[in-house]
Amino acid sequence: MQAAIDEAIAGRDEGGVPIGAVLVHNGEILGRGHNRRVQSGSAIRHGETDALERAGRQSAAVYRESVMYTTLSPCSMCTGAILLYGIPMVVVGENQTFLGEEELLAERGVDVVLMNDQRCIDLMAAFINAHPDVWNEDIGEDSA
């Protein structure tokens, strides 16, 4: 999880949303990423999708033996990517600031491990408080 937190901090330091993720296979990080929507002007570069992109093409067998570590509960888009590639386990840093599709992941047989890591909670809470418009855009909500 520390590598995912490091990615979240890097994203924050670049002026983006502090969400990080790493894809791990047999104890080795295949891809690490962070939310780059602001930095790249992207509609889809969330932490998990960035980690998958940076892992490059992998065989189906590799995905089925991998673990996705993410600092925040996966949204619908990232959940879809996890399900598409058959990643069997997702370790979630926190779901207090945002509850994504953990229930759907579990219903589809993915082992979801929630850490309730205070570092992850603090990163997101501070960002949401400071940048509510960017956060709402990130999760597809209208700004208040």
Side-chain angles (χ1 to χ4, degrees):
M1 181 57 68
Q2 185 59 54
I5 292 170
D6 292 344
E7 286 293 322
I9 291 168
R12 179 201 63 196
D13 291 350
E14 293 170 0
V17 182
I19 302 168
V22 293
L23 182 66
V24 176
H25 179 257
N26 291 333
E28 176 186 337
I29 295 175
L30 296 179
R32 54 177 62 230
H34 53 269
N35 187 304
R36 295 175 193 270
R37 290 188 70 250
V38 172
Q39 303 91 309
S40 300
S42 171
I44 61 169
R45 275 294 175 95
H46 282 191
E48 299 90 336
T49 57
D50 192 46
L52 285 166
E53 177 69 17
R54 291 173 175 272
R57 292 176 59 188
Q58 302 293 328
S59 71
V62 168
Y63 291 120
R64 287 192 306 264
E65 298 171 346
S66 294
V67 178
M68 178 69 76
Y69 289 82
T70 179
T71 59
L72 186 66
S73 184
C75 72
S76 299
M77 178 176 63
C78 295
T79 292
I82 291 163
L83 293 173
L84 176 67
Y85 290 109
I87 298 168
M89 177 183 274
V90 178
V91 179
V92 177
E94 68 103 349
N95 67 3
Q96 292 181 27
T97 60
F98 176 78
L99 178 59
E101 299 293 340
E102 294 173 30
E103 187 174 315
L104 176 59
L105 287 166
E107 286 173 4
R108 296 284 297 273
V110 177
D111 186 11
V112 178
V113 177
L114 177 62
M115 295 185 67
N116 282 319
D117 190 298
Q118 192 63 48
R119 299 167 298 174
C120 297
I121 296 166
D122 292 346
L123 274 169
M124 281 309 303
F127 180 83
I128 292 168
N129 185 55
H131 306 283
D133 291 347
V134 175
W135 173 241
N136 285 331
E137 176 189 323
D138 198 67
I139 59 172
E141 298 287 332
D142 290 328
S143 295

